[in-house]
Amino acid sequence: RKEGYDHYMLKEIHEQPHALERTLQGRLDAEAGTPTLDFPPGAFADAERVHLVGCGTSNYAAEYGATLLRRWGVEAQALLASEYTGAAPRVDGDTLVVAVTQSGETADTLSALRFAAERGARTLAVTNVVGSTAARECDDAMFIRAGPEIGVAASKTFSSQVASLVLLAATLVRDGEGAPGEEVRDTLRALADLPDQVATVLDGTTARSVAERYAGRESYFFIGRGLAYPVAMEGALKFKEISYEHAEGFPAGELKHGPLALVTEHTPVIAVFAGRHDEKTLNNVQEVQARGAPVIAVAGERADAVRRQADETLAVPDTHPNLAGLLANVQLQLVAYHVSKLLDRAIDKPRNLAKSVTVE
Ligand code: F6R
């Protein structure tokens, strides 16, 4: 049931505050800024390195988690499940392999898992589906509790995956060598406010008018750095999937190494700011504006320099820079949704795509 929404995807976008509340329920001591997942202290003490494997949107959630883990001093890498065996990663009994998969049934992810398990790795599924193959085959499972997602394009499951990975990252830091620093605690304290902040984004968004202004252009580029980079990639994937318009995501600094050749006044650039590395991303914004491209920034309310430079700004409430990308992503979901609606696309069931991909 769409409960008054035109599409399941829009309903699921609006379910995110509630989905995130469920994801976090009982798993976080907000005052202390510590995770309270069901893993006893020391549960991950043997993990010397972490591989996060997944496909598509789940790969971008994995990339977010891996970047955060590295910031917090844990050796971690996100690897595309479909390339995992070919990439010949070092995987053994000291490796924790985290399968990020909302369905728990993606064939590429399951074969990466099996490859890792054969080499003695410990495996953990981060999934939305209790009883899924990934949940059953892994040594451990952490359920993201986003609730059923009907729209083929992942929306609330991405947010709940990232929130779950933030909790997991803090748990791995707890079990690692150094004591968790203030940054970890501050991030977890801020995480508790995320559901309400997502609701604020949903209430105040101007994504629809941005969509009206820019729908039907030649191409769309999405850029970001650090934790905003996987969010830009996810924004571009969502956009192309449901609008059928050409969209690409890039690390902001890479534009000038080639893709800039494609930038013209017909190619809007959506720049994601997460409150860290913003000055460098602003340089990249100026580079594309000099080629005539309009820039739509997604940034925190207090990012005045960004607002002054960009042609449009979609604002999000201020939060810890480690979480700002999650709020920005909600704006990107809405831009993709409204452009697709204006173009009259089959938003809940885009052509050629399936909700879970069970062939390699
Ligand atoms: C994009 C999307 C896909 C999935 C990918 C992995 O909106 O939904 O890219 O993220 O097929 O699916 P799961 O997470 O079920 O393994």
Side-chain angles (χ1 to χ4, degrees):
R1 287 177 301 118
K2 284 185 259 184
E3 289 167 14
Y5 290 100
D6 287 344
H7 296 92
Y8 281 108
M9 185 180 179
L10 189 62
K11 172 176 174 260
E12 287 157 3
I13 288 171
H14 281 267
E15 279 170 356
Q16 287 176 116
H18 188 51
L20 283 166
E21 263 168 31
R22 275 194 314 253
T23 303
L24 301 179
Q25 182 78 48
R27 290 171 161 176
L28 167 69
D29 179 337
E31 237 166 81
T34 52
T36 55
L37 289 180
D38 241 355
F39 299 106
F44 295 106
D46 292 342
E48 278 188 14
R49 76 190 74 77
V50 185
H51 291 168
L52 299 105
V53 298
C55 300
T57 290
S58 294
N59 168 247
Y60 298 133
E63 194 73 64
Y64 199 109
T67 305
L68 198 58
L69 277 163
R70 290 193 299 267
R71 277 194 65 80
W72 292 350
V74 178
E75 191 183 325
Q77 247 183 305
L79 293 142
L80 278 169
S82 58
E83 290 290 329
Y84 190 68
T85 54
R90 175 170 168 199
V91 47
D92 56 25
D94 298 331
T95 314
L96 172 68
V97 175
V98 180
V100 184
T101 166
Q102 60 82 21
S103 67
E105 302 297 346
T106 301
D108 288 316
T109 308
L110 294 176
S111 51
L113 265 180
R114 290 167 187 154
F115 176 90
E118 277 163 22
R119 282 155 185 79
R122 173 164 174 197
T123 55
L124 166 65
V126 173
T127 181
N128 200 29
V129 182
V130 178
S132 60
T133 308
R136 280 186 283 112
E137 288 193 12
C138 283
D139 298 314
D140 291 295
M142 175 176 180
F143 297 105
I144 65 170
R145 307 177 184 156
E149 190 175 67
I150 311 290
V152 164
S155 57
K156 62 176 178 172
T157 54
F158 175 80
S159 297
S160 288
Q161 280 174 335
V162 174
S164 299
L165 291 174
V166 174
L167 289 169
L168 183 65
T171 307
L172 289 169
V173 173
R174 176 201 70 185
D175 290 353
E177 277 159 22
E182 200 56 35
E183 182 182 317
V184 179
R185 286 195 295 275
D186 285 346
T187 304
L188 261 67
R189 287 187 193 111
L191 188 60
D193 296 330
L194 201 71
D196 284 348
Q197 291 183 316
V198 170
T200 305
V201 173
L202 291 168
D203 287 345
T205 183
T206 53
R208 186 174 170 167
S209 64
V210 167
E212 280 163 3
R213 201 155 311 143
Y214 296 103
R217 299 293 176 104
E218 197 175 279
S219 274
Y220 299 80
F221 297 122
F222 291 69
I223 60 170
R225 275 168 199 272
L227 287 166
Y229 158 56
V231 173
M233 298 300 290
E234 166 59 7
L237 178 65
K238 207 90 318 168
F239 195 93
K240 72 180 82 162
E241 242 186 319
I242 62 172
S243 75
Y244 311 158
E245 297 287 272
H246 178 248
E248 295 294 335
F250 297 102
E254 278 297 300
L255 265 189
K256 59 184 175 298
H257 298 294
L260 198 55
L262 296 171
V263 170
T264 70
E265 69 268 33
H266 305 297
T267 60
V269 174
I270 297 94
V272 183
F273 292 84
R276 211 182 257 132
H277 325 294
D278 284 5
E279 274 176 31
K280 284 189 180 177
T281 305
L282 267 178
N283 290 340
N284 307 124
V285 161
Q286 284 164 356
E287 283 159 9
V288 301
Q289 284 176 324
R291 274 90 191 161
V295 170
I296 302 143
V298 187
E301 271 156 4
R302 286 200 294 253
D304 295 330
V306 174
R307 193 186 301 271
R308 277 196 303 274
Q309 186 66 40
D311 299 275
E312 317 267 347
T313 303
L314 291 166
V316 298
D318 284 304
T319 178
H320 195 283
N322 288 340
L323 304 176
L326 270 170
L327 297 176
N329 181 58
V330 176
Q331 296 282 23
L332 300 185
Q333 291 171 343
L334 289 164
V335 172
Y337 174 81
H338 287 297
V339 167
S340 306
K341 194 169 172 209
L342 287 164
L343 299 175
D344 205 19
R345 304 301 192 218
I347 293 174
D348 284 334
K349 228 184 159 315
R351 67 185 179 205
N352 309 339
L353 301 178
K355 186 70 185 160
S356 79
V357 183
T358 51
V359 289
E360 279 185 54

